[in-house]
Amino acid sequence: MPRMPSSVEPGQIRDNVLAAALQLFTRRGYFNTSVPDLARAAGVSVGSIYHHFKDKEDVARALYFSLMESLQDKLAEIAGQHQSAQDRCRAVITMLFDLTETMRDAMDFMLYAKHREFLPGEPPVCSSKPFETMRQFVEAGMASGEIRRMDVMVATSSLFGGAIRLITARLDNVLAEPLPDRLDAVWECAWRSVAA
């Protein structure tokens, strides 16, 4: 049985496996990645993976929830730092653009992985807690009169849809320049589409 490399502390195993999974699932795909692939990339034994996770699906689920929790934490920070819907929504786009530039694999996994194929019991990404929070920012803007009354899904899509499309263009290497360079133009269009 392969031994766990001595350079990996037991507390690091889970984090190393999740980091390896993010890279491999993004670049190869979930179905083209095996548990031995994860073990090699993480620098741990196959047995240690099974000590921390039931199976590959459990690794994918833990990765998905870890990324969603991190995104939700960032949205909670935005809610605490900004009072107006306008400021909150702009901060969300800024944060998503920054994440795309600094954590490309994470954004790729969140936006492109077909989660329901390997996590059939989980809701779609657009029904996740972070996306609910983004809708709540929009609803609060309607309640305060900053955003005109309309269907909340239409308003949320209008505010964030263009930014998300630019993120996918950046991930696909269609857009060469960094996303923050486009922030002002994207924000002006987005806000104008919903402002009261």
Side-chain angles (χ1 to χ4, degrees):
M1 173 179 257
R3 289 183 49 226
M4 182 175 70
S6 59
S7 63
V8 180
E9 297 293 323
Q12 288 182 299
I13 293 172
R14 184 177 173 83
D15 290 342
N16 287 7
V17 171
L18 293 178
L22 177 60
Q23 184 178 54
L24 292 174
F25 292 167
T26 300
R27 297 187 183 155
R28 286 181 169 180
Y30 172 83
F31 294 106
N32 293 323
T33 301
S34 67
V35 172
D37 293 334
L38 289 171
R40 273 190 300 281
V44 300
S45 69
V46 170
S48 65
I49 290 178
Y50 285 115
H51 178 74
H52 291 274
F53 303 95
K54 290 188 304 187
D55 51 25
K56 185 172 72 167
E57 184 179 310
D58 196 34
V59 173
R61 184 176 292 105
L63 176 60
Y64 177 80
F65 283 120
S66 172
L67 292 173
M68 288 299 158
E69 183 178 318
S70 175
L71 187 56
Q72 184 60 32
D73 289 346
K74 291 179 187 323
L75 291 169
E77 284 178 31
I78 287 170
Q81 293 169 351
H82 303 281
Q83 296 306 308
S84 73
Q86 182 176 12
D87 290 343
R88 285 179 176 178
C89 293
R90 184 182 171 102
V92 168
I93 293 174
T94 301
M95 177 264 297
L96 293 174
F97 280 8
D98 289 343
L99 281 180
T100 303
E101 298 300 329
T102 61
M103 299 180 65
R104 188 179 188 104
D105 285 347
M107 290 300 287
D108 191 291
F109 183 78
M110 286 189 284
L111 293 176
Y112 280 143
K114 295 182 177 170
H115 305 100
R116 301 204 54 199
E117 288 182 3
F118 54 87
L119 299 174
E122 300 306 325
V125 172
C126 61
S127 296
S128 66
K129 182 69 175 156
F131 281 82
E132 280 181 30
T133 300
M134 290 161 65
R135 281 191 294 275
Q136 290 168 0
F137 289 170
V138 172
E139 288 174 333
M142 287 181 191
S144 70
E146 291 177 77
I147 296 173
R148 68 181 180 277
R149 291 274 177 197
M150 66 177 87
D151 180 271
V152 71
M153 291 299 287
V154 170
T156 305
S157 296
S158 296
L159 262 173
F160 301 115
I164 291 171
R165 180 62 192 110
L166 276 182
I167 289 168
T168 60
R170 182 74 167 139
L171 293 172
D172 291 340
N173 296 313
V174 172
L175 184 62
E177 70 265 19
L179 288 169
D181 293 353
R182 299 281 180 105
L183 177 63
D184 290 336
V186 169
W187 175 248
E188 183 181 345
C189 292
W191 187 249
R192 196 181 295 175
S193 72
V194 299

